[in-house]
Amino acid sequence: MSQRVKEAADRHSPLGLTEDDLRRMYRTMVTARLCDEAQFRLNRQGRAPFVVPVSGHEGCQVATAWPLTRGKDIFVPYYRDMAVCLVAGMTPKDVFLGVFGKADDPSSGGRQMPAHWGSRRLGIISGSSPIATQVPHASGIAYAMKYRGEDAVVASWFGDGATSEGDWHEALNFAGIHKLPVVFVCENNLYAISVPLSKQAGISELALRAEGYGFSGQTVDGNDAFACYEAMKAAVDRARDGGGPTLIECMTYRFHPHTSDDDDRTYRTREEVEEAKRKDALVIFGGYLKDVGLIDDDGIESLRAELKAEVDAAVDEAWNAADPDPESALRHVFAEES
Amino acid sequence: MSQRVKEAADRHSPLGLTEDDLRRMYRTMVTARLCDEAQFRLNRQGRAPFVVPVSGHEGCQVATAWPLTRGKDIFVPYYRDMAVCLVAGMTPKDVFLGVFGKADDPSSGGRQMPAHWGSRRLGIISGSSPIATQVPHASGIAYAMKYRGEDAVVASWFGDGATSEGDWHEALNFAGIHKLPVVFVCENNLYAISVPLSKQAGISELALRAEGYGFSGQTVDGNDAFACYEAMKAAVDRARDGGGPTLIECMTYRFHPHTSDDDDRTYRTREEVEEAKRKDALVIFGGYLKDVGLIDDDGIESLRAELKAEVDAAVDEAWNAADPDPESALRHVFAEES
Amino acid sequence: MMAEKNIVNTIHDTLWEEMKADDRVLILGEDVGARGGVFRVTAGFMDEFGEQRVIDTPLAESSIVGVAIGMALHGLLPVAEIQFADFIHPAFDQLVSEAARLRYRSNGDFGVPMVVRAPWGGGVHGALYHSQSIEGFYGHVPGLKVVIPSTPHDAKGLLRAAIRDPDPVLFLEHKKTYRLIKGEVPDDAYEVPIGPADVKREGQDLTCVAYGLMLHYCLEAAAKLQEEDGVSVEVVDVRTIAPLDRQTILESVRKTGKAMVVYEDNRTYGAGAEIVATIAEEAMFDLDGPLVRVGGPDIPAMPFSGPLEHFYMPDAEEIHRAMKELAAF
Amino acid sequence: MMAEKNIVNTIHDTLWEEMKADDRVLILGEDVGARGGVFRVTAGFMDEFGEQRVIDTPLAESSIVGVAIGMALHGLLPVAEIQFADFIHPAFDQLVSEAARLRYRSNGDFGVPMVVRAPWGGGVHGALYHSQSIEGFYGHVPGLKVVIPSTPHDAKGLLRAAIRDPDPVLFLEHKKTYRLIKGEVPDDAYEVPIGPADVKREGQDLTCVAYGLMLHYCLEAAAKLQEEDGVSVEVVDVRTIAPLDRQTILESVRKTGKAMVVYEDNRTYGAGAEIVATIAEEAMFDLDGPLVRVGGPDIPAMPFSGPLEHFYMPDAEEIHRAMKELAAF
Ligand SMILES: Cc1ncc(C[n+]2csc(CCOP(=O)(O)OP(=O)(O)O)c2C)c(N)n1
Ligand SMILES: Cc1ncc(C[n+]2csc(CCOP(=O)(O)OP(=O)(O)O)c2C)c(N)n1
Ligand SMILES: [Mg+2]
Ligand SMILES: [Mg+2]
């Protein structure tokens, strides 16, 4: 009986996830959440002029980034994807070097707004602010991988709003024609800033559009990390095996305003937000770890404390790092003679 | 028995098409075909530097334009749509004033290339060369119709290649969200100049994409004018009744090169072209008129002769019309004080 | 009757009045509805005028403009908002190939009475994609009118003129002036005509041509120069980038004999180049000093970090230095 | 070894050699495959190099550029073709916000070694949408290089340099020069560096700055003026619109003391404005004559009908007249 329960409870082994995977996935989710709390604290203190929250998306981000192979596969995230970038290898210090716009910010050396991720070393393509422009890049990278006969895969993340841009359509169409090794991941949090899904599209499940490009789409519960992982793992394996692209839609929710500049009370009721927080993927995933005996409440507490200390240390180091030299603004317009 | 045959044969009455409709539809198709033959003759003679053929598309163009109400509904065609514009009220003379770039060309006064249709009086929106840019205009016009409480419908025509442009996606998405009175008609002739459908999309039936926008799509045989009419009529009625947009895909074929500048032998076998010509919608529709006893071979011959005389007269009148005054190139950059 | 207002409130109130006065006027853009616009320009509009007239569009700029063109072709007077000028680029084709060419290509048969509003400009910590100047691109598009009000008074008058204009108008609002610049706004229904530049400060010794935020820096620098050195600078507000009012600029230059042009956009091939070129062609022999341009550096855009952004932006000191130098020539 | 070739054949052959030499080079665009391009620039390429390297793309310019950027980010050297420069507008955002900014925004971490070829220019009966000049828009985009070869020799050298350039290059080919202009093309593997302008005709009395088709009209007019009036005109081929080679232009102007700029694009806010402004700022006191611009009228684009198109295009006579007048000043 308890045996059956245990089996029923075990969702990770069938997916090929080890206990070590689970621990590291959870660590990453909690780290992202703590970075988010820290950056909003800094924003209120006037130390961070602009921050982009991730809270609510950590589960689907970690789960969809996890199946990629670092050093081989390519990540094409958008500004919401702090947790994707932590999986890809960014550290809390990297995050805060960006928040403070410091010279050593690995993404842009303080040139871009925070959360505009990028690192050639980590295989994270530099992103911009314009929505959906990165999606054609993912298709082009996937074409290059296929052309060069690499056994690699590229994944691109974007929000529900991004699916309305012409670039999104053109990118998926190109990928479908050439059956490219790319996975498109939509983090559907039901809003594009204030615009609700009902005013963004005439349908409620955006994954439906994949069929119009000749590949399959799937909508999954973004608060269920295992469902996200399972869909993504299958898509990545299929892409690697020459099976072509997949569109995965993770139904998720943004707990905070769009950015520190936004006031979401103008377009979302507090009840709706509270309701969503009760389905927090982080809590659900932690709960699972407890169910399978990998951690207990004390463990969660001490882990939080440990990671918070790390994040606080990262904030201090980043804060004390050097600003860019003003004259350096003139550099890197074009390649420099080396 | 002969009764049953007759019923089986009668495809128009059930669709609400009168014998007068059939005669006028056939006249329009033949007129378009004759204008095409004339403009290519003129091109070979060096009298028309650039012409855009319609041959092969007349059936689906006339049939999809027919359900619209002139003076109320709006036509948003593309360059291939000579027959759509004849249904909307353009005359052969109008066509050749455009071919020769004359001052009285109703579309542009000789400013645009031939086949860049437009006429406020006839409810034909002025079109440009850039592909698919007219589709969002159709959605905007449809929004205005709904906003103003008009009992009107707008239809936009475009080719298979147009469906790849971001504008096409954005236009259909907008129309689907607001359930607008618009019908999108794709004249799928399997090629965008030389690019075959297989390199244009990862699917073979573009109508499939309609579902991704929250409305229905339908693929019909573009050589079967009744199938085209039936689908279009239903879509126009639905749009008028507040049922929202429809995407209709007419499978058709372009008999001639893309334009007089093109050489299609580089990308289409003669066999393929000949095969397509055997399914000529014009012949099929004429055949139906014969079956139902509306015309016989002599009638077809004399009709052709009559219409050819009209077209030849139109060519001469247009040829002898005045060129634009050079200085007039400076006019109409902005509205002129009236 | 007058009221002291900042520019955001002025645009809000003017749009509100236009919506009240004419139901052909409607607004479309991202977050213009419940959110009232990210700069609150349309705050309260959706409640007052309804979702049909205050349209939260999908995130797709090309269709925001393309759909607005369709509306304008069918009897409406759309006022489209592009959330940040930096994000108007996907609509470049609809603006250049369609909006600007429809009247011309139809030989006057069709017109596109549409306004496209876009908050632009830097100095607001907006980094590469929330700081851009775009007037250099769109000023070069015959068939399109491009206006840049720099005071609340002009913002109201030009917006009313733009909404009444039978042709497409790109209406650029400098983000940093939104709340920074306040001024008297008459209550009555006046228009500031699209076209004429405006002498914002009269002077004898030197002409300084500018627009947007830089206009205010130039006025600041001019006042300082008057005070400290008794040099009288005439400051001309271009106000309409296209079609460009050459006459007002040239008259001022012929009077003062010295000219400088200030703009925050990348210097090379920017709008200031045309103004300098015009002066050089038409008034070179009236000049008794070099032609001076102060512009942003030729780097892709304004970086985020404070020191880098500060390095990019021309400011009153830099302008004052250039003025002083030119005056002393 | 030399061969006399026209520009289309030169570009065809150069691309062919580059494809042979380096399999990171691939081509993508509309109708570049079986059709060999509407101007036959890639005729025979698909048979030789295969569909994987000669990609017939969907009809979607933004993704042609966007996908090419992705390829360039992952080790390839894409050469994208935009069928007509008039149709590059949908890709404006990918070119301006992405290609041109990727290196800058990543602080040098990423680069986009991509070439975008586009046939441009008028006088070919192409009407409003097959005649446009676009260098005025893209020259104003830091991070993007814009080159315009006007001779077969430069076409080969600049194309080789563009393909080897670590940054995005917009390569503009004037349609009317394609078959009209022939010249000697060395067989050896030379590059014409991106950047330097080129004095195409030496002269003492007057400097004429131009590029594209207008360069040839200027050379024609200069020869006529030499012959008929013994006036020696120096003709400078800008060749690289951005980054602009101010030095070569200024040296010539300082030498001759008179300058005119000729371009077929709409005059106002066009590339010629920057060149005139540069001369005015840097060399005004070396001038002994007015600065003259000859450009296209400020109408949306070139109409189709012969008389209207002729009205639009500057030609050798008009340029000759302007030269003669300036020389006589
Ligand atoms: C082309 C473009 N238009 C507008 C904006 C302004 N903007 C920034 S984020 C955003 C909403 C994006 O929503 P979504 O794609 O759903 O992602 P989310 O923020 O919800 O994760 C908008 C409109 C932009 N950055 N780029
Ligand atoms: C934006 C744009 N890109 C490229 C072109 C060049 N072009 C003209 S027609 C055409 C093919 C259009 O094919 P399709 O939409 O299938 O229509 P068809 O000609 O087959 O009827 C192309 C690529 C254009 N006119 N506009
Ligand atoms: Mg969202
Ligand atoms: Mg086609």
Side-chain angles (χ1 to χ4, degrees):
Chain A
M1 169 61 185
S2 78
Q3 181 55 20
R4 280 226 328 291
V5 172
K6 196 145 187 34
E7 271 172 22
D10 178 358
R11 296 184 59 195
H12 62 280
S13 315
L15 300 176
L17 285 170
T18 66
E19 295 189 346
D20 180 55
D21 283 316
L22 299 186
R23 283 199 194 81
R24 289 186 296 114
M25 287 172 78
Y26 185 61
R27 268 186 93 89
T28 312
M29 295 180 201
V30 174
T31 301
R33 177 67 54 92
L34 291 167
C35 286
D36 218 25
E37 290 170 5
Q39 70 179 352
F40 269 96
R41 205 160 46 237
L42 291 161
N43 176 258
R44 282 190 299 275
Q45 295 166 354
R47 294 168 68 191
F50 177 82
V51 303
V52 180
V54 62
S55 296
H57 288 234
E58 302 95 334
C60 63
Q61 286 184 16
V62 168
T64 51
W66 210 257
L68 295 186
T69 308
R70 282 165 59 168
K72 178 162 91 173
D73 298 332
I74 297 289
F75 300 79
V76 186
Y78 76 120
Y79 53 82
R80 188 75 61 206
D81 289 321
M82 182 200 287
V84 168
C85 293
L86 290 174
V87 171
M90 287 222 175
T91 65
K93 183 179 175 184
D94 293 334
V95 170
F96 290 100
L97 284 167
V99 166
F100 297 133
K102 298 297 189 158
D104 291 341
D105 156 32
S107 297
S108 76
R111 290 174 171 206
Q112 291 217 82
M113 283 178 156
H116 286 51
W117 319 103
S119 165
R120 171 170 291 283
R121 184 176 59 83
L122 298 175
I124 302 169
I125 300 300
S126 166
S128 63
S129 302
I131 298 295
T133 50
Q134 79 278 19
V135 192
H137 302 170
S139 295
I141 289 166
Y143 192 95
M145 288 169 165
K146 189 174 181 181
Y147 178 87
R148 290 153 54 112
E150 292 175 8
D151 158 50
V153 171
V154 55
S156 179
W157 287 260
F158 45 81
D160 43 294
T163 63
S164 298
E165 285 284 0
D167 271 9
W168 184 88
H169 168 69
E170 296 185 14
L172 270 69
N173 188 37
F174 188 87
I177 292 165
H178 296 283
K179 308 237 171 310
L180 301 177
V182 54
V183 183
F184 301 104
V185 183
C186 179
E187 299 175 36
N188 185 347
N189 59 15
L190 307 176
Y191 292 88
I193 303 186
S194 73
V195 180
L197 192 60
S198 61
K199 290 183 174 180
Q200 196 65 241
I203 53 174
S204 52
E205 291 199 348
L206 297 165
L208 189 65
R209 291 200 178 145
E211 286 170 27
Y213 304 111
F215 51 87
S216 69
Q218 187 180 350
T219 302
V220 297
D221 175 359
N223 294 322
D224 179 345
F226 294 109
C228 295
Y229 177 85
E230 181 171 19
M232 187 70 179
K233 183 73 168 68
V236 169
D237 291 348
R238 182 162 55 242
R240 220 183 286 284
D241 301 345
T246 306
L247 171 60
I248 293 174
E249 176 185 31
C250 304
M251 301 309 295
T252 179
Y253 199 86
R254 157 171 60 79
F255 292 169
H256 297 303
H258 174 67
T259 67
S260 53
D261 286 351
D262 182 35
D263 173 3
D264 65 328
R265 284 164 310 180
T266 56
Y267 56 85
R268 304 194 301 191
T269 65
R270 295 308 84 187
E271 297 63 40
E272 179 184 309
V273 177
E274 287 318 310
E275 172 60 28
K277 287 182 176 174
R278 277 191 288 277
K279 307 200 198 95
D280 188 343
L282 193 51
V283 175
I284 293 171
F285 197 75
Y288 177 83
L289 264 61
K290 287 196 291 183
D291 292 349
V292 296
L294 280 181
I295 199 167
D296 59 18
D297 288 327
D298 296 353
I300 288 181
E301 266 329 294
S302 55
L303 178 65
R304 253 190 83 88
E306 173 202 338
L307 294 177
K308 179 157 188 329
E310 261 181 52
V311 168
D312 292 345
V315 168
D316 294 341
E317 286 180 54
W319 178 255
N320 295 318
D323 281 329
D325 160 23
E327 291 287 329
S328 72
L330 297 173
R331 295 189 55 189
H332 304 304
V333 175
F334 294 115
E336 301 179 347
E337 324 297 324
S338 40
Chain B
M1 169 60 183
S2 77
Q3 181 53 24
R4 279 227 328 295
V5 171
K6 193 140 188 41
E7 271 172 22
D10 178 358
R11 296 184 61 195
H12 61 281
S13 316
L15 300 176
L17 285 169
T18 66
E19 296 189 343
D20 180 56
D21 282 317
L22 298 186
R23 285 200 191 82
R24 289 186 296 117
M25 288 171 78
Y26 186 60
R27 271 186 90 90
T28 311
M29 293 180 201
V30 174
T31 301
R33 177 66 55 91
L34 290 166
C35 287
D36 218 23
E37 290 171 4
Q39 68 178 353
F40 268 97
R41 204 157 51 237
L42 291 162
N43 176 256
R44 282 190 300 274
Q45 295 165 353
R47 294 168 68 194
F50 177 82
V51 301
V52 181
V54 62
S55 297
H57 288 234
E58 302 94 334
C60 64
Q61 287 184 15
V62 169
T64 52
W66 211 256
L68 294 186
T69 308
R70 283 166 58 168
K72 178 162 93 172
D73 298 333
I74 297 289
F75 300 80
V76 186
Y78 75 120
Y79 54 80
R80 188 75 61 207
D81 290 320
M82 183 200 289
V84 167
C85 293
L86 290 175
V87 171
M90 286 221 176
T91 65
K93 183 179 175 184
D94 293 334
V95 169
F96 290 100
L97 285 168
V99 166
F100 297 133
K102 298 298 189 157
D104 292 340
D105 156 33
S107 295
S108 75
R111 291 175 171 206
Q112 292 218 78
M113 283 178 157
H116 286 51
W117 319 103
S119 165
R120 169 170 292 283
R121 185 177 57 85
L122 299 175
I124 301 169
I125 301 301
S126 165
S128 63
S129 302
I131 298 294
T133 50
Q134 80 278 21
V135 192
H137 302 171
S139 295
I141 289 166
Y143 192 96
M145 288 170 165
K146 188 174 182 181
Y147 178 85
R148 290 152 54 113
E150 292 174 7
D151 156 53
V153 171
V154 55
S156 180
W157 287 260
F158 45 80
D160 43 294
T163 63
S164 297
E165 284 285 0
D167 271 8
W168 184 87
H169 168 69
E170 297 186 12
L172 271 70
N173 187 39
F174 188 86
I177 292 164
H178 296 283
K179 309 234 170 315
L180 300 178
V182 54
V183 184
F184 301 104
V185 183
C186 179
E187 297 175 36
N188 185 346
N189 60 13
L190 307 177
Y191 292 89
I193 303 186
S194 71
V195 180
L197 192 59
S198 61
K199 291 182 175 181
Q200 195 65 242
I203 53 175
S204 52
E205 292 199 348
L206 297 164
L208 189 64
R209 291 199 178 147
E211 286 170 29
Y213 303 111
F215 50 88
S216 71
Q218 186 180 352
T219 301
V220 297
D221 176 358
N223 294 321
D224 180 345
F226 294 109
C228 295
Y229 177 85
E230 181 171 18
M232 188 69 179
K233 182 74 169 69
V236 169
D237 292 347
R238 183 163 51 243
R240 221 183 285 284
D241 301 344
T246 306
L247 171 60
I248 294 174
E249 176 184 30
C250 304
M251 301 308 297
T252 180
Y253 200 85
R254 159 170 60 77
F255 292 168
H256 297 304
H258 173 67
T259 66
S260 53
D261 286 352
D262 183 34
D263 174 3
D264 65 328
R265 286 164 308 181
T266 55
Y267 57 85
R268 303 193 303 189
T269 67
R270 296 306 86 187
E271 295 63 39
E272 181 183 308
V273 176
E274 288 317 313
E275 172 61 27
K277 287 182 176 173
R278 278 192 287 278
K279 307 200 198 98
D280 189 344
L282 194 51
V283 175
I284 294 172
F285 197 74
Y288 177 83
L289 263 60
K290 286 196 291 183
D291 293 348
V292 295
L294 280 180
I295 200 167
D296 59 19
D297 288 328
D298 297 352
I300 287 181
E301 268 327 297
S302 54
L303 178 66
R304 251 190 85 89
E306 172 201 341
L307 295 176
K308 181 159 186 326
E310 262 181 48
V311 168
D312 292 345
V315 168
D316 294 339
E317 286 180 55
W319 179 256
N320 294 317
D323 280 331
D325 159 23
E327 291 287 329
S328 73
L330 296 174
R331 296 190 53 191
H332 303 305
V333 175
F334 294 114
E336 301 180 345
E337 321 301 323
S338 37
Chain C
M1 281 289 297
M2 287 267 196
E4 158 119 345
K5 290 184 190 179
N6 66 24
I7 290 182
V8 174
N9 295 336
T10 303
I11 293 171
H12 171 282
D13 296 352
T14 306
L15 277 176
W16 184 278
E17 289 156 22
E18 294 298 284
M19 296 275 283
K20 283 282 183 195
D22 186 341
D23 66 11
R24 293 173 305 163
V25 179
L26 49 66
I27 288 172
L28 65 160
E30 295 154 6
D31 305 293
V32 297
R35 183 78 183 84
V38 297
F39 292 101
R40 322 290 298 132
V41 168
T42 53
F45 278 53
M46 197 166 89
D47 291 343
E48 178 69 16
F49 301 106
E51 299 187 23
Q52 300 313 313
R53 284 185 76 186
V54 184
I55 307 164
D56 268 325
T57 65
L59 209 172
E61 288 70 17
S62 189
S63 59
I64 290 174
V65 173
V67 161
I69 289 170
M71 292 169 168
L73 289 171
H74 203 70
L76 304 185
L77 300 175
V79 178
E81 174 178 294
I82 297 297
Q83 196 162 83
F84 286 86
D86 313 61
F87 305 134
I88 200 171
H89 300 330
F92 192 75
D93 193 39
Q94 281 291 341
L95 284 161
V96 174
S97 301
E98 299 301 319
R101 280 168 166 64
L102 254 154
R103 183 182 298 282
Y104 191 80
R105 80 183 182 217
S106 65
N107 208 24
D109 198 21
F110 290 90
V112 181
M114 161 183 81
V115 177
V116 177
R117 292 180 43 247
W120 69 288
V124 295
H125 229 51
L128 272 63
Y129 299 98
H130 297 78
S131 306
Q132 290 171 39
S133 298
I134 62 168
E135 72 281 2
F137 297 124
Y138 293 98
H140 184 52
V141 181
L144 202 61
K145 297 180 181 181
V146 181
V147 301
I148 301 183
S150 300
T151 65
H153 173 278
D154 289 350
K156 174 176 177 177
L158 281 170
L159 184 52
R160 288 175 50 87
I163 290 172
R164 285 163 178 70
D165 198 280
D167 290 301
V169 179
L170 179 57
F171 192 89
L172 299 177
E173 306 160 4
H174 197 291
K175 296 191 290 291
K176 189 157 186 174
T177 64
Y178 264 160
R179 292 182 168 75
L180 184 71
I181 305 302
K182 299 183 184 58
E184 292 296 325
V185 182
D187 291 342
D188 58 302
Y190 65 95
E191 287 181 36
V192 170
I194 293 173
D198 186 46
V199 174
K200 283 283 194 292
R201 177 191 176 98
E202 301 239 341
Q204 304 304 324
D205 305 333
L206 185 161
T207 296
C208 181
V209 184
Y211 53 89
L213 176 66
M214 290 299 132
L215 173 82
H216 298 284
Y217 289 174
C218 291
L219 288 168
E220 191 181 327
K224 184 155 178 249
L225 202 63
Q226 178 73 63
E227 224 168 85
E228 296 179 357
D229 307 77
V231 176
S232 112
V233 177
E234 180 148 296
V235 180
V236 179
D237 180 359
V238 178
R239 209 162 57 174
T240 293
I241 295 291
L244 180 64
D245 174 4
R246 294 184 163 81
Q247 195 186 338
T248 302
I249 293 168
L250 291 171
E251 275 166 13
S252 175
V253 172
R254 293 201 172 99
K255 180 179 76 174
T256 64
K258 287 181 175 159
M260 62 186 281
V261 180
V262 182
Y263 53 114
E264 95 182 46
D265 192 6
N266 305 112
R267 193 175 192 289
T268 300
Y269 295 112
E274 176 61 38
I275 297 169
V276 169
T278 298
I279 297 169
E281 286 178 302
E282 306 294 326
M284 192 158 69
F285 303 112
D286 303 300
L287 292 175
D288 43 43
L291 270 165
V292 175
R293 262 195 295 177
V294 175
D298 289 321
I299 59 180
M302 225 167 292
F304 176 73
S305 107
L308 297 180
E309 183 182 47
H310 182 76
F311 175 88
Y312 182 102
M313 287 292 279
D315 57 18
E317 285 94 286
E318 179 181 353
I319 295 165
H320 175 266
R321 234 179 291 114
M323 274 183 186
K324 190 166 180 171
E325 207 175 295
L326 179 55
F329 184 87
Chain D
M1 280 289 295
M2 288 268 196
E4 159 119 344
K5 290 184 191 178
N6 66 23
I7 290 182
V8 173
N9 294 337
T10 304
I11 293 170
H12 171 282
D13 296 352
T14 306
L15 277 175
W16 185 278
E17 289 157 22
E18 294 296 284
M19 296 275 284
K20 282 282 183 196
D22 187 342
D23 64 12
R24 293 173 306 165
V25 179
L26 49 67
I27 287 171
L28 67 160
E30 295 154 6
D31 306 293
V32 297
R35 182 77 184 85
V38 297
F39 292 101
R40 321 289 300 132
V41 167
T42 54
F45 277 54
M46 199 167 86
D47 291 344
E48 178 68 18
F49 301 105
E51 300 187 24
Q52 300 313 313
R53 282 186 77 186
V54 185
I55 307 165
D56 267 326
T57 65
L59 209 173
E61 289 72 17
S62 188
S63 60
I64 290 174
V65 173
V67 161
I69 290 171
M71 292 170 167
L73 289 171
H74 203 69
L76 304 185
L77 300 175
V79 179
E81 175 178 293
I82 298 297
Q83 196 162 84
F84 287 85
D86 312 61
F87 306 134
I88 200 170
H89 300 330
F92 192 75
D93 193 39
Q94 281 291 341
L95 284 161
V96 173
S97 301
E98 299 301 320
R101 280 168 166 65
L102 253 154
R103 183 181 299 282
Y104 191 81
R105 78 182 184 219
S106 65
N107 208 24
D109 199 20
F110 290 91
V112 181
M114 161 184 81
V115 177
V116 177
R117 292 180 43 248
W120 70 288
V124 296
H125 229 48
L128 273 62
Y129 299 99
H130 298 78
S131 306
Q132 291 171 39
S133 298
I134 61 168
E135 72 282 2
F137 297 124
Y138 293 99
H140 184 51
V141 180
L144 201 60
K145 297 181 182 181
V146 181
V147 301
I148 300 183
S150 301
T151 66
H153 174 278
D154 289 351
K156 174 177 177 177
L158 280 170
L159 184 52
R160 288 174 51 85
I163 290 172
R164 286 164 178 68
D165 197 281
D167 290 300
V169 179
L170 179 57
F171 192 89
L172 299 178
E173 306 159 5
H174 198 292
K175 297 191 292 291
K176 189 156 187 174
T177 64
Y178 263 158
R179 293 182 166 77
L180 185 72
I181 305 302
K182 300 184 182 57
E184 292 295 324
V185 181
D187 290 344
D188 58 305
Y190 65 95
E191 287 181 37
V192 170
I194 294 174
D198 185 45
V199 175
K200 283 283 192 294
R201 177 191 175 97
E202 301 238 343
Q204 304 304 324
D205 306 333
L206 186 162
T207 296
C208 181
V209 184
Y211 53 88
L213 176 65
M214 291 300 132
L215 174 82
H216 297 283
Y217 289 174
C218 291
L219 289 168
E220 194 182 326
K224 184 153 179 254
L225 202 63
Q226 177 74 64
E227 225 167 84
E228 298 180 356
D229 307 78
V231 176
S232 112
V233 177
E234 180 148 298
V235 179
V236 179
D237 180 0
V238 177
R239 208 162 58 175
T240 293
I241 295 290
L244 180 63
D245 175 6
R246 294 184 163 80
Q247 196 185 338
T248 301
I249 293 168
L250 291 171
E251 275 167 11
S252 175
V253 173
R254 292 200 173 99
K255 181 179 75 175
T256 64
K258 287 181 175 158
M260 60 187 281
V261 181
V262 182
Y263 53 113
E264 100 184 41
D265 192 7
N266 305 111
R267 192 176 193 288
T268 300
Y269 296 112
E274 177 61 39
I275 297 169
V276 169
T278 298
I279 297 170
E281 286 177 303
E282 305 293 327
M284 192 159 67
F285 303 112
D286 304 299
L287 292 175
D288 43 44
L291 271 164
V292 175
R293 263 195 293 178
V294 176
D298 289 321
I299 59 179
M302 225 168 291
F304 175 74
S305 107
L308 297 180
E309 183 182 47
H310 184 75
F311 175 88
Y312 182 102
M313 287 292 281
D315 58 19
E317 286 93 287
E318 180 181 352
I319 295 165
H320 175 266
R321 235 179 290 115
M323 274 182 184
K324 190 166 180 170
E325 207 175 296
L326 179 56
F329 184 86

